[in-house]
Amino acid sequence: MTQGIYTFPQSQLQFNSQQDKLPPHNIEAEEAIIGGILLDPNAIFVIKDRLKPEHFYVSVHRDIYQACLKLCKNDKPTDLLAVTSWLSDHRILNRVGKNNLASIVDRTVSSVNIDALAADVIDKAVRRQLIKTLNESILTAYDLETELPQVLELTQNKVKSIVEIPAPTKDEYQKWKHDRLLNDLTEIYTTCAEPSLRFLKLHELAKEYSVSPGFLELFYLKSLTAQCTKLLTYEELKELAGSTVREWLVNGLIPKSTTILLAADGGIGKTKLVYGLGKVLIQGEKFGQFHSTGDKRKILYYQGDESPGDMLQALESLGYGEADINKFVKVRFGWSAENMPALIQDLNEFKPDFVVVDSLSTANKFSTYQESQMEYARPILEMTGLAAQHNTTFVIIHHTNRDGGVRGTTAIRNAVSEVWTLTKDKSETSTPHDRILEINKSRSRSSGKKYRMIFSPDDLSFTFLGEEYEQGYDAAEQSAKNALLEFFAANRNIKFTTEEIAHRTQYSKGHLRNCLSALTADGLISVERKPGKANLYFLAMNEGDRGSDSTITPDHP
């Protein structure tokens, strides 16, 4: 039917041995592919990695498909208007024929079977190439001036180049389908801020892929838990890490770009503790033995457990009404994990250093999963990715169970980098206001440390009293550690070798090595290690954010 309007390139392909037969082809399939791409903007993504322009038998189809590939590569639509414009701009439209393009679209019903049609077109193209190659080998065999070993070698190489062409496989198609579904899901979950509209989009996406909405939820969760980098070389590892020195917001307490779970029973003061830490970050103050690495940090509070009035009263009691604090704090009420796009927008626009989610229960108030199910931890996994992407630290407030551990599935604890618990001191000598902060889990410092604090119900502040030591600890060594912390605090950002520190503090180098090792393990100071060189110890502070208490001594070696 349609063959009469095309000129078949027989002489070009040199099909000499079967001149009474046309080479293998499927013009109807080629037209259906072109029409499907012009009708459906997503159709080309199904086949573009497998189907090449040279697979088309008709040169006009090759031209049209090449135009579609170019438009797709530049993230432009492949509809009839865009393709016609591209062909016209490149002076190919006259050869293709504008009416020919329109008639192809008119004859196309849909792009439903475009992957199967592409497989058939590829099949015919490989057969044509094989026929051409064998015909050329026949002509070479007739050439008696060519030595037989050379004839055999040429024939073998040509045939091998064809039979080793990788055909599209089921695995390749499934990988394409996986990537496309994940891209669609990620866009919906991260850009659609209206929960009801997102639900509708997910429902339509589920119908498109013939799966259930529940499958999409689990599929997205699996993508979050299974992310990993490519196989890195050592040089790529160094480039990815950026530095061998761990970065902190507060040395030894709050790492940068991480997620912290703070769990406590009701009425202990966990929210007030976080408010106090936020003020420390804004003003660049110390919190007990822990030194801030800078000031003017931006704080973002997502409050779901306190009313606006209660929160304002707490912040005012802690001194948040001061002018130098006000502009560094922003607050949202009623946020839930269903509003994840709003969080992403806040991260992009406000660029906070410290994000507080109070609490995990209210963030998951619309979740269809129970606390005991692994899927309940999905928002934490998303925040973990955002923490690294935006160089932001998240604190997620949660509740403890009867045994004092983190309530709910173990996936909650596993999803974060730090786990803190805040409890009342139940010893006989304690007061009702004594609190114990324990670092149960940490990927940035030694864990298992306990710190004593006192909570003041009058101004809602926490006073740091010091570390809780086990029996048998070395008091002299602790005194040396405290002296070293004071030394580094007076010399912020200056890097010292052990020998330099020994000269200035009069401690022996052997004793210093033990103390410095313990301080770096706890994250209280930083260390720069380079192969073949002495370790350099320092207490970091952001350049340009130094307070009046930091001094750079001019006599540093």
Side-chain angles (χ1 to χ4, degrees), residues 60-104:
V60 167
H61 296 164
R62 286 198 296 270
D63 292 337
I64 300 172
Y65 185 67
Q66 183 71 59
C68 294
L69 288 177
K70 294 289 187 182
L71 290 169
C72 178
K73 186 177 181 180
N74 293 321
D75 294 324
K76 295 182 179 179
T78 57
D79 54 29
L80 178 61
L81 181 61
V83 173
T84 302
S85 177
W86 191 94
L87 292 171
S88 176
D89 291 343
H90 292 79
R91 300 179 181 179
I92 305 175
L93 186 59
N94 288 337
R95 184 167 75 238
V96 171
K98 189 174 183 180
N99 293 334
N100 190 23
L101 270 174
S103 63
I104 289 176

Side-chain angles (χ1 to χ4, degrees), residues 31-47:
E31 285 187 341
I33 290 171
I34 297 298
I37 293 172
L38 296 176
L39 284 175
D40 183 358
N42 294 318
I44 193 169
F45 295 100
V46 181
I47 59 174

